[in-house]
Amino acid sequence: MSHTRRWEPTCPKLRRVQEVAQAKREERFTSLAHHLTVDALRQSYKKLEAGAAAGVDGITKKRYGETLEKNLSDLHQRLKEGKYRASPARRVWIEKPGGGERPLGIPTVEDKIVQGAVVEILNCIYETDFLGFSYGSRPGRNAHQALQALQTVLQKGRVNWVLDADISKFFDSIDHKELMRIIQNRVKDRGLLRLIGKWLSAGVVEEDGRRIREKKGTPQGGVISPLLANIFLHEVVDKHVHKWRETQATGEVYIVRYMDDFVIACQEERDAQTLLVELEERLRTHGLALNREKTQLHRFGKNWRGGGPGGKSETFDFLGLTHIAGKDRRGNYLVIRKTARKRFQRGLAMIGRWCKTNLHRPVAWQWAQLCRKLTGHYNYYGVRGNYEALVRYRHQVWQGWHNTLKRRSQKLNTSRTYTLLRDVFKLPTPRITHSEGWLCANPGYLLGRAGCGNAARPVL
C-alpha cells in the first residue's frame, strides 16, 4: 500500500545485488566495483544535464561528448588499474533565502560520470534499507509525496503535537570517518570505498584559486552527495526514531523526512519532548546539531482548534508550505496548506529584481520568460486549497511587471501599456496541479506499519 514507485536498476546484473540486499539485511557486499563498466559509465553520462556548469577543468558535457567513447574507455581503464584521481570541486557561493551564503561544490564531468555509476550500484543496496518515511533525493520520490504523506498523518493520525526539526549546516558537518564507518556496515568492497574516500578528501577550489581540504562535509552539488547524506541520516535519525517509537513511545508517533528537514508528529507531548532531547544527544555524538531557531514544538491537531486551557493550534512550515489546522465548509477538521510567507515574498522579490535587470528587453521576450516562471510556481505550489495564494501571487507579479515597464520612458503611454499587458501579453492563469489530498491508506501502513495503533505502544 505504497504511494511511491519501486525503484529498479537499469542494469539487469544489478538486480541480483538488489535481491540479495533485500533478502539479507546484514549482508556486507565485497564485490561491487566490477559493475563499473563502460556501459554503466555511458548511462551515467546520458543522465547529466546538458547545461550544467563545468568543474575546475572547464570541460562541459558537450565538449566531453565530442570524443565520448574514447574518453569513457580511457576512464574505465584508469578505474580498473586504480589510476583514477578525483578532482577538487569548484566552489560557488549562492545567496540563501534567509540571508547569508550557501556553498555549492561543482565536480568535473568525469567525476560526475563515475559518481553517477556508483550511485546506481549503491541504490541497489540502500533503497532496500531506507525506510518509507524518507523522501529526499531518492529515485521515484519527490517533495510532493512527502507533503502528501505528512498531510495524511496530520489528517488521519492521532496527532496533538508536531516537532518541526532542522539540522544546522548538515552538509558541511558530516564527519568523513563516521560516514565511511556507516557505509562499511553494508559495503566492504575496497575499490568502491576507495572511490568514495577520494571524493571526500579531494576538497574544493575557491574562486580565488585556493584549494581547501576538510575532514568534514560533502559538497552540495555533487551527484553522490545526496545519497551519502541519506545514508548518514538513515543510520543516525531514521533507525533511531523508528526503533524508539516501537519500544518507548506512549502514544502514536509519526515522522516524515526530506533530507535534513523532518517533521515528527506525536500524540503525547512527553513523547515529543523526550524524543527531542534524545535526538539532540544522538546528533551530538555524530558531530551534528539541531538548529534551535528552526526547531520548534507546536500544538497542532483538531483537539486544539477551538483553543482552551492548553492553548490554540499553531502553524508550521514544511517544504515551502504552511500547514494549518482548520476546517472545511461543513465544519469538519481539515489540514489546510498555504504558500509559506517567506517563500511568497522571496519569489516576488526575485521576480522584481529580474524585471529591473531585463527592463531593456522586448516586452514579448519578458512575457515569455515570466510565463515560464509562473508556470514553475504553479507546478510546485499548486496544491489543493492554495488557489487564492496563487491568484494573489500572479496579480502581484503582473503589477510589479507593469510598474517596472512604466520606467522605460517618460513618454510611455501608460494606458496603452496597461491594455497591452491585460489583453495581449496575458500571464498564465493559476491552476491546481496537485489536486490529490491525503491518502486513503492508514497512516501506519504509509510509514512502514509503525507509529500507528499498537505498534507505537511499549513492548511489554
Side-chain angles (χ1 to χ4, degrees), residues 46-87:
K46 293 179 180 179
K47 294 179 181 179
L48 298 180
E49 296 183 6
V56 292
D57 56 1
I59 299 178
T60 61
K61 179 184 178 181
K62 181 179 180 181
R63 181 180 172 185
Y64 191 88
E66 293 176 355
T67 55
L68 179 61
E69 296 303 325
K70 179 182 178 182
N71 292 335
L72 293 181
S73 178
D74 176 67
L75 175 60
H76 179 251
Q77 189 65 27
R78 283 184 283 130
L79 288 171
K80 287 178 59 179
E81 298 176 357
K83 296 180 179 180
Y84 166 79
R85 295 293 179 267
S87 302

mmCIF file of all heavy atoms in Angstrom, residues 46-87:
data_model
loop_
_atom_site.group_PDB
_atom_site.id
_atom_site.type_symbol
_atom_site.label_atom_id
_atom_site.label_comp_id
_atom_site.label_asym_id
_atom_site.label_seq_id
_atom_site.Cartn_x
_atom_site.Cartn_y
_atom_site.Cartn_z
ATOM 1 N N LYS A 46 24.678 9.978 -19.954
ATOM 2 C CA LYS A 46 23.431 10.407 -20.569
ATOM 3 C C LYS A 46 22.508 11.101 -19.564
ATOM 4 O O LYS A 46 21.678 11.928 -19.952
ATOM 5 C CB LYS A 46 22.708 9.201 -21.182
ATOM 6 C CG LYS A 46 23.434 8.591 -22.376
ATOM 7 C CD LYS A 46 22.670 7.394 -22.919
ATOM 8 C CE LYS A 46 23.394 6.782 -24.109
ATOM 9 N NZ LYS A 46 22.665 5.587 -24.635
ATOM 10 N N LYS A 47 22.624 10.777 -18.293
ATOM 11 C CA LYS A 47 21.755 11.366 -17.278
ATOM 12 C C LYS A 47 22.198 12.762 -16.855
ATOM 13 O O LYS A 47 21.457 13.468 -16.169
ATOM 14 C CB LYS A 47 21.699 10.457 -16.046
ATOM 15 C CG LYS A 47 21.043 9.115 -16.299
ATOM 16 C CD LYS A 47 21.039 8.267 -15.042
ATOM 17 C CE LYS A 47 20.407 6.903 -15.297
ATOM 18 N NZ LYS A 47 20.425 6.044 -14.085
ATOM 19 N N LEU A 48 23.406 13.173 -17.249
ATOM 20 C CA LEU A 48 23.894 14.501 -16.873
ATOM 21 C C LEU A 48 23.108 15.579 -17.600
ATOM 22 O O LEU A 48 22.706 15.407 -18.752
ATOM 23 C CB LEU A 48 25.388 14.630 -17.193
ATOM 24 C CG LEU A 48 26.343 13.687 -16.463
ATOM 25 C CD1 LEU A 48 27.773 13.962 -16.902
ATOM 26 C CD2 LEU A 48 26.204 13.834 -14.962
ATOM 27 N N GLU A 49 22.906 16.709 -16.935
ATOM 28 C CA GLU A 49 22.217 17.829 -17.550
ATOM 29 C C GLU A 49 23.120 18.491 -18.586
ATOM 30 O O GLU A 49 24.304 18.710 -18.344
ATOM 31 C CB GLU A 49 21.800 18.845 -16.491
ATOM 32 C CG GLU A 49 20.797 18.307 -15.498
ATOM 33 C CD GLU A 49 20.356 19.359 -14.508
ATOM 34 O OE1 GLU A 49 20.763 20.538 -14.702
ATOM 35 O OE2 GLU A 49 19.622 19.035 -13.563
ATOM 36 N N ALA A 50 22.518 18.817 -19.725
ATOM 37 C CA ALA A 50 23.313 19.372 -20.819
ATOM 38 C C ALA A 50 23.888 20.738 -20.483
ATOM 39 O O ALA A 50 25.009 21.062 -20.862
ATOM 40 C CB ALA A 50 22.460 19.460 -22.090
ATOM 41 N N GLY A 51 23.121 21.558 -19.772
ATOM 42 C CA GLY A 51 23.572 22.912 -19.476
ATOM 43 C C GLY A 51 24.207 23.067 -18.116
ATOM 44 O O GLY A 51 24.303 24.200 -17.614
ATOM 45 N N ALA A 52 24.633 21.968 -17.485
ATOM 46 C CA ALA A 52 25.222 22.047 -16.150
ATOM 47 C C ALA A 52 26.554 22.782 -16.199
ATOM 48 O O ALA A 52 27.282 22.760 -17.203
ATOM 49 C CB ALA A 52 25.406 20.655 -15.567
ATOM 50 N N ALA A 53 26.888 23.435 -15.084
ATOM 51 C CA ALA A 53 28.138 24.188 -15.012
ATOM 52 C C ALA A 53 29.328 23.244 -15.030
ATOM 53 O O ALA A 53 29.255 22.091 -14.582
ATOM 54 C CB ALA A 53 28.151 25.047 -13.752
ATOM 55 N N ALA A 54 30.446 23.744 -15.558
ATOM 56 C CA ALA A 54 31.668 22.953 -15.646
ATOM 57 C C ALA A 54 32.431 23.006 -14.335
ATOM 58 O O ALA A 54 32.251 23.908 -13.514
ATOM 59 C CB ALA A 54 32.537 23.465 -16.787
ATOM 60 N N GLY A 55 33.307 22.029 -14.140
ATOM 61 C CA GLY A 55 34.123 21.963 -12.940
ATOM 62 C C GLY A 55 35.391 22.791 -13.071
ATOM 63 O O GLY A 55 35.468 23.748 -13.847
ATOM 64 N N VAL A 56 36.404 22.399 -12.298
ATOM 65 C CA VAL A 56 37.649 23.172 -12.280
ATOM 66 C C VAL A 56 38.393 23.085 -13.604
ATOM 67 O O VAL A 56 39.175 23.976 -13.930
ATOM 68 C CB VAL A 56 38.554 22.681 -11.126
ATOM 69 C CG1 VAL A 56 37.943 23.019 -9.786
ATOM 70 C CG2 VAL A 56 38.806 21.182 -11.234
ATOM 71 N N ASP A 57 38.173 22.019 -14.381
ATOM 72 C CA ASP A 57 38.866 21.872 -15.662
ATOM 73 C C ASP A 57 38.183 22.623 -16.802
ATOM 74 O O ASP A 57 38.732 22.713 -17.902
ATOM 75 C CB ASP A 57 39.013 20.400 -16.034
ATOM 76 C CG ASP A 57 37.673 19.672 -16.079
ATOM 77 O OD1 ASP A 57 36.626 20.323 -15.839
ATOM 78 O OD2 ASP A 57 37.664 18.452 -16.353
ATOM 79 N N GLY A 58 36.983 23.159 -16.568
ATOM 80 C CA GLY A 58 36.281 23.926 -17.590
ATOM 81 C C GLY A 58 35.644 23.102 -18.696
ATOM 82 O O GLY A 58 35.134 23.663 -19.665
ATOM 83 N N ILE A 59 35.640 21.772 -18.565
ATOM 84 C CA ILE A 59 35.083 20.899 -19.605
ATOM 85 C C ILE A 59 33.597 20.696 -19.352
ATOM 86 O O ILE A 59 33.193 20.307 -18.253
ATOM 87 C CB ILE A 59 35.821 19.550 -19.631
ATOM 88 C CG1 ILE A 59 37.305 19.756 -19.959
ATOM 89 C CG2 ILE A 59 35.184 18.610 -20.652
ATOM 90 C CD1 ILE A 59 38.110 18.482 -19.951
ATOM 91 N N THR A 60 32.786 20.954 -20.368
ATOM 92 C CA THR A 60 31.341 20.771 -20.269
ATOM 93 C C THR A 60 30.945 19.386 -20.792
ATOM 94 O O THR A 60 31.775 18.654 -21.352
ATOM 95 C CB THR A 60 30.606 21.847 -21.070
ATOM 96 O OG1 THR A 60 30.990 21.739 -22.458
ATOM 97 C CG2 THR A 60 30.956 23.237 -20.562
ATOM 98 N N LYS A 61 29.696 19.042 -20.627
ATOM 99 C CA LYS A 61 29.205 17.748 -21.118
ATOM 100 C C LYS A 61 29.319 17.661 -22.632
ATOM 101 O O LYS A 61 29.723 16.624 -23.174
ATOM 102 C CB LYS A 61 27.755 17.542 -20.688
ATOM 103 C CG LYS A 61 27.161 16.237 -21.189
ATOM 104 C CD LYS A 61 25.693 16.094 -20.824
ATOM 105 C CE LYS A 61 25.136 14.787 -21.400
ATOM 106 N NZ LYS A 61 23.702 14.608 -21.086
ATOM 107 N N LYS A 62 29.003 18.737 -23.325
ATOM 108 C CA LYS A 62 29.068 18.731 -24.783
ATOM 109 C C LYS A 62 30.488 18.507 -25.269
ATOM 110 O O LYS A 62 30.738 17.728 -26.197
ATOM 111 C CB LYS A 62 28.514 20.049 -25.322
ATOM 112 C CG LYS A 62 28.511 20.144 -26.833
ATOM 113 C CD LYS A 62 27.929 21.466 -27.294
ATOM 114 C CE LYS A 62 27.935 21.568 -28.815
ATOM 115 N NZ LYS A 62 27.391 22.877 -29.278
ATOM 116 N N ARG A 63 31.422 19.184 -24.647
ATOM 117 C CA ARG A 63 32.824 19.037 -25.059
ATOM 118 C C ARG A 63 33.339 17.640 -24.741
ATOM 119 O O ARG A 63 34.074 17.045 -25.534
ATOM 120 C CB ARG A 63 33.667 20.091 -24.357
ATOM 121 C CG ARG A 63 35.139 20.050 -24.724
ATOM 122 C CD ARG A 63 35.896 21.141 -23.988
ATOM 123 N NE ARG A 63 37.323 21.007 -24.172
ATOM 124 C CZ ARG A 63 38.240 21.767 -23.559
ATOM 125 N NH1 ARG A 63 37.831 22.731 -22.717
ATOM 126 N NH2 ARG A 63 39.524 21.573 -23.753
ATOM 127 N N TYR A 64 32.949 17.104 -23.583
ATOM 128 C CA TYR A 64 33.379 15.754 -23.225
ATOM 129 C C TYR A 64 32.791 14.729 -24.181
ATOM 130 O O TYR A 64 33.417 13.706 -24.470
ATOM 131 C CB TYR A 64 32.953 15.455 -21.790
ATOM 132 C CG TYR A 64 33.553 14.200 -21.207
ATOM 133 C CD1 TYR A 64 34.779 14.235 -20.555
ATOM 134 C CD2 TYR A 64 32.895 12.969 -21.300
ATOM 135 C CE1 TYR A 64 35.338 13.085 -20.006
ATOM 136 C CE2 TYR A 64 33.442 11.821 -20.766
ATOM 137 C CZ TYR A 64 34.669 11.886 -20.111
ATOM 138 O OH TYR A 64 35.218 10.738 -19.594
ATOM 139 N N GLY A 65 31.596 14.984 -24.672
ATOM 140 C CA GLY A 65 30.942 14.033 -25.560
ATOM 141 C C GLY A 65 31.427 14.047 -26.978
ATOM 142 O O GLY A 65 31.012 13.190 -27.779
ATOM 143 N N GLU A 66 32.288 14.997 -27.345
ATOM 144 C CA GLU A 66 32.808 15.030 -28.718
ATOM 145 C C GLU A 66 33.634 13.783 -29.020
ATOM 146 O O GLU A 66 33.642 13.302 -30.154
ATOM 147 C CB GLU A 66 33.639 16.297 -28.909
ATOM 148 C CG GLU A 66 32.805 17.578 -28.859
ATOM 149 C CD GLU A 66 33.665 18.826 -28.963
ATOM 150 O OE1 GLU A 66 34.913 18.683 -28.971
ATOM 151 O OE2 GLU A 66 33.098 19.941 -29.023
ATOM 152 N N THR A 67 34.343 13.278 -28.032
ATOM 153 C CA THR A 67 35.085 12.009 -28.166
ATOM 154 C C THR A 67 34.658 11.098 -27.006
ATOM 155 O O THR A 67 35.498 10.658 -26.214
ATOM 156 C CB THR A 67 36.596 12.266 -28.142
ATOM 157 O OG1 THR A 67 36.935 12.994 -26.937
ATOM 158 C CG2 THR A 67 37.031 13.074 -29.356
ATOM 159 N N LEU A 68 33.378 10.836 -26.947
ATOM 160 C CA LEU A 68 32.810 10.163 -25.792
ATOM 161 C C LEU A 68 33.372 8.760 -25.603
ATOM 162 O O LEU A 68 33.826 8.400 -24.512
ATOM 163 C CB LEU A 68 31.286 10.101 -25.922
ATOM 164 C CG LEU A 68 30.549 9.390 -24.776
ATOM 165 C CD1 LEU A 68 30.802 10.112 -23.461
ATOM 166 C CD2 LEU A 68 29.056 9.311 -25.073
ATOM 167 N N GLU A 69 33.340 7.943 -26.637
ATOM 168 C CA GLU A 69 33.760 6.546 -26.493
ATOM 169 C C GLU A 69 35.223 6.437 -26.103
ATOM 170 O O GLU A 69 35.595 5.595 -25.268
ATOM 171 C CB GLU A 69 33.499 5.787 -27.796
ATOM 172 C CG GLU A 69 32.027 5.683 -28.158
ATOM 173 C CD GLU A 69 31.213 5.013 -27.058
ATOM 174 O OE1 GLU A 69 31.756 4.085 -26.402
ATOM 175 O OE2 GLU A 69 30.066 5.402 -26.838
ATOM 176 N N LYS A 70 36.049 7.290 -26.663
ATOM 177 C CA LYS A 70 37.470 7.279 -26.299
ATOM 178 C C LYS A 70 37.652 7.695 -24.845
ATOM 179 O O LYS A 70 38.424 7.070 -24.101
ATOM 180 C CB LYS A 70 38.246 8.210 -27.224
ATOM 181 C CG LYS A 70 39.723 8.292 -26.903
ATOM 182 C CD LYS A 70 40.439 9.261 -27.829
ATOM 183 C CE LYS A 70 41.914 9.384 -27.459
ATOM 184 N NZ LYS A 70 42.629 10.364 -28.333
ATOM 185 N N ASN A 71 36.943 8.727 -24.442
ATOM 186 C CA ASN A 71 37.053 9.202 -23.063
ATOM 187 C C ASN A 71 36.547 8.163 -22.063
ATOM 188 O O ASN A 71 37.144 7.954 -21.010
ATOM 189 C CB ASN A 71 36.280 10.509 -22.899
ATOM 190 C CG ASN A 71 36.913 11.658 -23.643
ATOM 191 O OD1 ASN A 71 38.119 11.651 -23.897
ATOM 192 N ND2 ASN A 71 36.110 12.646 -24.010
ATOM 193 N N LEU A 72 35.427 7.514 -22.382
ATOM 194 C CA LEU A 72 34.879 6.504 -21.469
ATOM 195 C C LEU A 72 35.783 5.281 -21.384
ATOM 196 O O LEU A 72 35.953 4.701 -20.304
ATOM 197 C CB LEU A 72 33.484 6.092 -21.926
ATOM 198 C CG LEU A 72 32.387 7.151 -21.835
ATOM 199 C CD1 LEU A 72 31.061 6.581 -22.301
ATOM 200 C CD2 LEU A 72 32.259 7.688 -20.410
ATOM 201 N N SER A 73 36.363 4.898 -22.508
ATOM 202 C CA SER A 73 37.276 3.752 -22.493
ATOM 203 C C SER A 73 38.517 4.056 -21.653
ATOM 204 O O SER A 73 38.976 3.207 -20.870
ATOM 205 C CB SER A 73 37.682 3.400 -23.925
ATOM 206 O OG SER A 73 38.606 2.331 -23.950
ATOM 207 N N ASP A 74 39.038 5.273 -21.797
ATOM 208 C CA ASP A 74 40.208 5.653 -21.009
ATOM 209 C C ASP A 74 39.850 5.743 -19.527
ATOM 210 O O ASP A 74 40.624 5.312 -18.650
ATOM 211 C CB ASP A 74 40.740 6.994 -21.509
ATOM 212 C CG ASP A 74 41.902 7.504 -20.680
ATOM 213 O OD1 ASP A 74 42.980 6.882 -20.712
ATOM 214 O OD2 ASP A 74 41.722 8.539 -19.992
ATOM 215 N N LEU A 75 38.678 6.282 -19.229
ATOM 216 C CA LEU A 75 38.236 6.386 -17.843
ATOM 217 C C LEU A 75 38.047 5.012 -17.228
ATOM 218 O O LEU A 75 38.450 4.769 -16.078
ATOM 219 C CB LEU A 75 36.934 7.192 -17.780
ATOM 220 C CG LEU A 75 36.257 7.318 -16.415
ATOM 221 C CD1 LEU A 75 37.184 7.992 -15.416
ATOM 222 C CD2 LEU A 75 34.944 8.094 -16.534
ATOM 223 N N HIS A 76 37.463 4.098 -17.970
ATOM 224 C CA HIS A 76 37.240 2.742 -17.466
ATOM 225 C C HIS A 76 38.563 2.040 -17.194
ATOM 226 O O HIS A 76 38.710 1.318 -16.191
ATOM 227 C CB HIS A 76 36.410 1.948 -18.470
ATOM 228 C CG HIS A 76 36.154 0.535 -18.051
ATOM 229 N ND1 HIS A 76 36.757 -0.547 -18.664
ATOM 230 C CD2 HIS A 76 35.380 0.021 -17.052
ATOM 231 C CE1 HIS A 76 36.351 -1.659 -18.077
ATOM 232 N NE2 HIS A 76 35.528 -1.341 -17.108
ATOM 233 N N GLN A 77 39.535 2.258 -18.059
ATOM 234 C CA GLN A 77 40.836 1.637 -17.878
ATOM 235 C C GLN A 77 41.523 2.172 -16.619
ATOM 236 O O GLN A 77 42.134 1.407 -15.856
ATOM 237 C CB GLN A 77 41.715 1.895 -19.112
ATOM 238 C CG GLN A 77 43.026 1.122 -19.130
ATOM 239 C CD GLN A 77 42.816 -0.384 -19.222
ATOM 240 O OE1 GLN A 77 41.802 -0.854 -19.743
ATOM 241 N NE2 GLN A 77 43.781 -1.146 -18.702
ATOM 242 N N ARG A 78 41.433 3.460 -16.390
ATOM 243 C CA ARG A 78 42.030 4.050 -15.187
ATOM 244 C C ARG A 78 41.338 3.553 -13.921
ATOM 245 O O ARG A 78 41.967 3.392 -12.879
ATOM 246 C CB ARG A 78 41.981 5.573 -15.270
ATOM 247 C CG ARG A 78 43.049 6.164 -16.188
ATOM 248 C CD ARG A 78 43.051 7.660 -16.172
ATOM 249 N NE ARG A 78 41.964 8.203 -16.974
ATOM 250 C CZ ARG A 78 41.128 9.121 -16.566
ATOM 251 N NH1 ARG A 78 41.189 9.586 -15.330
ATOM 252 N NH2 ARG A 78 40.183 9.582 -17.363
ATOM 253 N N LEU A 79 40.026 3.338 -13.995
ATOM 254 C CA LEU A 79 39.313 2.790 -12.842
ATOM 255 C C LEU A 79 39.761 1.363 -12.544
ATOM 256 O O LEU A 79 39.922 0.988 -11.372
ATOM 257 C CB LEU A 79 37.803 2.828 -13.102
ATOM 258 C CG LEU A 79 37.128 4.196 -13.062
ATOM 259 C CD1 LEU A 79 35.686 4.094 -13.550
ATOM 260 C CD2 LEU A 79 37.155 4.772 -11.646
ATOM 261 N N LYS A 80 39.981 0.564 -13.565
ATOM 262 C CA LYS A 80 40.417 -0.817 -13.379
ATOM 263 C C LYS A 80 41.822 -0.884 -12.789
ATOM 264 O O LYS A 80 42.103 -1.717 -11.924
ATOM 265 C CB LYS A 80 40.384 -1.568 -14.711
ATOM 266 C CG LYS A 80 38.986 -1.900 -15.199
ATOM 267 C CD LYS A 80 39.026 -2.595 -16.550
ATOM 268 C CE LYS A 80 39.840 -3.880 -16.483
ATOM 269 N NZ LYS A 80 39.855 -4.579 -17.792
ATOM 270 N N GLU A 81 42.704 -0.006 -13.246
ATOM 271 C CA GLU A 81 44.100 -0.030 -12.803
ATOM 272 C C GLU A 81 44.334 0.768 -11.529
ATOM 273 O O GLU A 81 45.461 0.818 -11.023
ATOM 274 C CB GLU A 81 44.993 0.509 -13.920
ATOM 275 C CG GLU A 81 44.949 -0.333 -15.188
ATOM 276 C CD GLU A 81 45.770 0.277 -16.310
ATOM 277 O OE1 GLU A 81 46.312 1.383 -16.097
ATOM 278 O OE2 GLU A 81 45.880 -0.355 -17.375
ATOM 279 N N GLY A 82 43.291 1.427 -11.013
ATOM 280 C CA GLY A 82 43.449 2.225 -9.808
ATOM 281 C C GLY A 82 44.162 3.534 -10.031
ATOM 282 O O GLY A 82 44.666 4.136 -9.070
ATOM 283 N N LYS A 83 44.202 4.027 -11.274
ATOM 284 C CA LYS A 83 44.889 5.274 -11.592
ATOM 285 C C LYS A 83 43.932 6.469 -11.644
ATOM 286 O O LYS A 83 44.368 7.580 -11.948
ATOM 287 C CB LYS A 83 45.611 5.148 -12.929
ATOM 288 C CG LYS A 83 46.712 4.103 -12.928
ATOM 289 C CD LYS A 83 47.401 4.038 -14.294
ATOM 290 C CE LYS A 83 48.515 2.999 -14.292
ATOM 291 N NZ LYS A 83 49.193 2.922 -15.614
ATOM 292 N N TYR A 84 42.667 6.235 -11.382
ATOM 293 C CA TYR A 84 41.707 7.334 -11.406
ATOM 294 C C TYR A 84 41.957 8.275 -10.235
ATOM 295 O O TYR A 84 42.144 7.842 -9.100
ATOM 296 C CB TYR A 84 40.282 6.767 -11.347
ATOM 297 C CG TYR A 84 39.225 7.806 -11.039
ATOM 298 C CD1 TYR A 84 38.754 8.664 -12.018
ATOM 299 C CD2 TYR A 84 38.703 7.914 -9.747
ATOM 300 C CE1 TYR A 84 37.782 9.607 -11.731
ATOM 301 C CE2 TYR A 84 37.728 8.844 -9.448
ATOM 302 C CZ TYR A 84 37.276 9.686 -10.446
ATOM 303 O OH TYR A 84 36.319 10.625 -10.148
ATOM 304 N N ARG A 85 41.970 9.573 -10.511
ATOM 305 C CA ARG A 85 42.186 10.584 -9.487
ATOM 306 C C ARG A 85 40.993 11.540 -9.479
ATOM 307 O O ARG A 85 40.607 12.063 -10.531
ATOM 308 C CB ARG A 85 43.476 11.360 -9.744
ATOM 309 C CG ARG A 85 44.737 10.529 -9.645
ATOM 310 C CD ARG A 85 44.969 10.068 -8.209
ATOM 311 N NE ARG A 85 46.167 9.249 -8.093
ATOM 312 C CZ ARG A 85 46.191 7.925 -8.169
ATOM 313 N NH1 ARG A 85 45.056 7.259 -8.382
ATOM 314 N NH2 ARG A 85 47.315 7.256 -8.037
ATOM 315 N N ALA A 86 40.451 11.766 -8.310
ATOM 316 C CA ALA A 86 39.317 12.683 -8.191
ATOM 317 C C ALA A 86 39.815 14.121 -8.186
ATOM 318 O O ALA A 86 40.815 14.445 -7.533
ATOM 319 C CB ALA A 86 38.538 12.395 -6.911
ATOM 320 N N SER A 87 39.130 14.970 -8.903
ATOM 321 C CA SER A 87 39.476 16.388 -8.954
ATOM 322 C C SER A 87 38.703 17.138 -7.878
ATOM 323 O O SER A 87 37.580 16.761 -7.523
ATOM 324 C CB SER A 87 39.138 16.974 -10.335
ATOM 325 O OG SER A 87 39.821 16.284 -11.360
#
